[in-house]
Amino acid sequence: MNTRIEHDTMGEIAVPADHHWGAQTQRSLENFKIGGQRQPKEIITAFAYLKEACARANADVGKLTAQQAEAITAACRDIRAGRWDGEFPLVVWQTGSGTQTNMNVNEVIAHLAAEQGVPLHPNDHVNASQSSNDTFPSALHIAAALSVAEQVLPAAERLEAAFARLEAAYPDLIRIGRTHLQDATPLRFSQEVSGWRELVAAPCRMLRLAQTELCRLAIGGTAVGTGLNAPKGYDEMVCAYLRQLTGLEFRPDENKFHALTSKDALVFAHGALKALAANLMKIANDIRFEASGPRCGMGELRIPENEPGSSIMPGKVNPTQCEAVTMVAVQVMGNDAAIGMAASQGNFQLNVFLPVSAYNFLLSARLLADVCDSFRGHCVEGITPNVERMEHNLNNSLMLVTCLTPKIGYEAAAKCAKKALHDGTTLKEAVLALGLLTAEEFDETVRPEKMV
């Protein structure tokens, strides 16, 4: 491998000649050969937004020339476009402040600018008015807010719309309800689906609320929150450029001592992701149980048959999309535990669990966005009710007795239900045998369409 010699304050080090990073990136590569999970691409993209905004703000206050700021801007745009993805090799499991990733970005930008004839120092120019201690928390919030806005919410809204279409398609179909895994009173199938729709919509509202907190940035706090070496008003200038670049309402956190050491906004936002995961788990379980069978289960729903389900049982088809949803939900819940623990570890003026927090949050966002689209396209949009099975179960249910309670009383109604169950008869036969109603009175009273 061809190398070149780079240097930093610790001395010289050989760096691969065909890459654009510098000495600090190389030291991190050699010192942290842990796990192999690289810094998420979303973090690098967020840094590219942040470094451009910082460069433009620094130019406004005279800390960079227009040429220097433009060189940084051009490099950042190329990075966001994915042109230099191979230049960001650092793993998650490094310094807890993310300093080496900040320097990786600084070094790559400086080398790219030098190739365009604009010499820049990674610390003095690209990192001007900044510290890793305020840039990584800011990049983390930018990445989290963008992942929610561009990945999770659109995918969840598409899933919500698919449930809305299913709800509208069967307005009059009545089925038996179930509580405690036991028969309950009837409801419309569309009412059940409306619950699934809202189980997606509600966490989306929570995520939009959480965006307000994610959009508060630490930038301008520099090392410990005092803003040392940052010009007055620099934080607002950077956020103004970020608003232009991203379309999101980024603004400075008013208390930088809070912003550098606390990850409460991330915990709050990931809580909404966990709420979505929990609700998706519920929906997927409902659907796979109601589609169980085809002959020996509930069999009230038909779902798409996407692939063979067994290597030994011919003809078996499984609810694989539902299973994928539930596995994603479990992973997101585990990620939430990691983020909560990491957020509790802020010591004095800095939280040093930032990369692991970023990794878990962005993994959750990617998984939820992907699984919402997969579940929608390969399952939900193909759901159809088994009307015959629904009607059979409805008419066979003993819980229709509930509508008799106002007429014959709770205890007499319970006696009817228990007799029908014990004798293996219909509810009507039990009521007639006990002489509590005539056949005409029963038919007039027990009407499922009036119970929903």
Side-chain angles (χ1 to χ4, degrees):
M1 179 179 66
N2 293 328
T3 61
R4 67 176 188 277
I5 299 300
E6 289 279 338
H7 77 277
D8 58 13
T9 57
M10 297 187 72
E12 295 184 338
I13 189 171
V15 173
D18 58 345
H19 284 288
H20 292 80
W21 62 72
Q24 292 196 50
T25 303
Q26 189 64 32
R27 292 189 197 284
S28 183
L29 268 177
E30 295 180 6
N31 291 336
F32 295 96
K33 297 178 180 179
I34 304 172
Q37 292 85 9
R38 289 168 58 171
Q39 287 288 339
K41 179 175 170 57
E42 295 93 335
I43 284 290
I44 304 304
T45 298
F47 262 111
Y49 277 119
L50 182 62
K51 294 296 178 179
E52 177 177 345
C54 288
R56 293 167 72 174
N58 278 320
D60 289 345
V61 298
K63 293 190 76 169
L64 292 178
T65 67
Q67 183 186 38
Q68 290 170 328
E70 183 53 40
I72 293 172
T73 293
C76 287
R77 290 174 179 169
D78 281 348
I79 290 169
R80 293 200 298 272
R83 183 178 174 187
W84 302 108
D85 287 353
E87 299 301 315
F88 304 100
L90 300 189
V91 296
V92 172
W93 322 106
Q94 51 160 284
T95 175
S97 63
T99 298
Q100 290 138 12
T101 290
N102 179 46
M103 287 307 303
N104 181 193
V105 175
N106 290 338
E107 289 175 344
V108 170
I109 291 172
H111 279 88
L112 292 174
E115 289 184 351
Q116 302 304 313
V118 183
L120 295 176
H121 191 282
N123 296 82
D124 295 337
H125 299 117
V126 187
N127 203 60
S129 309
Q130 304 154 60
S131 162
S132 297
N133 293 356
D134 66 353
T135 57
F136 200 102
S138 296
L140 172 50
H141 275 214
I142 293 167
L146 287 172
S147 70
V148 168
E150 296 178 356
Q151 297 178 47
V152 181
L153 285 174
E157 287 163 358
R158 289 189 289 269
L159 179 58
E160 178 189 348
F163 281 126
R165 291 190 293 272
L166 182 62
E167 177 185 354
Y170 301 95
D172 300 319
L173 179 59
I174 299 174
R175 61 170 307 157
I176 197 65
R178 294 176 179 86
T179 60
H180 302 268
L181 301 182
Q182 305 295 307
D183 300 349
T185 57
L187 75 163
R188 296 186 190 278
F189 176 58
S190 60
Q191 291 172 323
E192 179 180 38
V193 177
S194 78
W196 295 341
R197 171 178 52 76
E198 185 63 18
L199 283 164
V200 178
C204 288
R205 293 195 297 272
M206 299 171 197
L207 282 168
R208 293 185 192 99
L209 181 63
Q211 287 285 69
T212 301
E213 297 302 319
L214 286 177
C215 284
R216 299 180 189 272
L217 301 186
I219 197 67
T222 65
V224 296
T226 61
L228 179 67
N229 294 345
K232 183 177 176 60
Y234 179 74
D235 54 357
E236 176 50 46
M237 287 187 282
V238 172
C239 287
Y241 280 121
L242 284 170
R243 291 193 290 271
Q244 292 177 20
L245 290 168
T246 66
L248 298 184
E249 290 300 311
F250 292 112
R251 62 196 182 283
D253 194 310
E254 295 178 0
N255 190 318
K256 301 298 192 295
F257 307 102
H258 160 264
L260 267 62
T261 196
S262 174
K263 292 279 87 50
D264 49 12
L266 204 70
V267 171
F268 183 53
H270 198 274
L273 293 180
K274 183 174 71 169
L276 176 58
N279 286 358
L280 290 175
M281 173 80 84
K282 190 268 186 208
I283 294 169
N285 280 336
D286 282 357
I287 290 172
R288 64 174 167 176
F289 283 126
E290 291 179 14
S292 60
R295 292 188 173 178
C296 299
M298 288 176 65
E300 294 187 352
L301 293 181
R302 296 186 179 96
I303 59 177
E305 297 182 351
N306 297 318
E307 61 272 315
S310 173
S311 61
I312 188 173
M313 293 176 281
K316 193 174 194 301
V317 179
N318 297 328
T320 51
Q321 288 294 319
C322 295
E323 291 165 6
V325 169
T326 56
M327 286 192 290
V328 165
V330 167
Q331 183 64 58
V332 171
M333 293 172 191
N335 293 348
D336 191 74
I339 288 172
M341 286 294 294
S344 73
Q345 299 302 306
N347 300 126
F348 306 114
Q349 279 70 58
L350 187 67
N351 180 290
V352 291
F353 286 72
L354 299 177
V356 71
S357 299
Y359 175 74
N360 281 281
F361 189 99
L362 297 169
L363 176 59
S364 290
R366 272 196 306 278
L367 287 173
L368 286 169
D370 288 348
V371 87
C372 280
D373 277 335
S374 182
F375 187 44
R376 171 186 54 80
H378 297 290
C379 182
V380 174
E381 291 179 342
I383 290 174
T384 57
N386 184 337
V387 176
E388 295 78 10
R389 182 67 68 88
M390 283 189 181
E391 289 179 347
H392 170 78
N393 288 341
L394 173 67
N395 294 326
N396 198 44
S397 171
L398 300 178
M399 288 303 100
L400 297 179
V401 75
T402 306
C403 63
L404 293 177
T405 303
K407 202 170 186 71
I408 64 176
Y410 183 92
E411 291 192 11
K415 187 176 181 180
C416 293
K418 290 181 179 180
K419 178 176 175 59
L421 181 62
H422 179 270
D423 296 348
T425 66
T426 66
L427 183 62
K428 182 175 181 177
E429 290 169 331
V431 172
L432 296 179
L434 291 170
L436 296 170
L437 294 174
T438 66
E440 291 76 13
E441 288 173 325
F442 181 93
D443 291 339
E444 183 180 333
T445 305
V446 182
R447 299 178 63 181
E449 67 274 14
K450 290 187 175 182
M451 300 176 69
V452 297

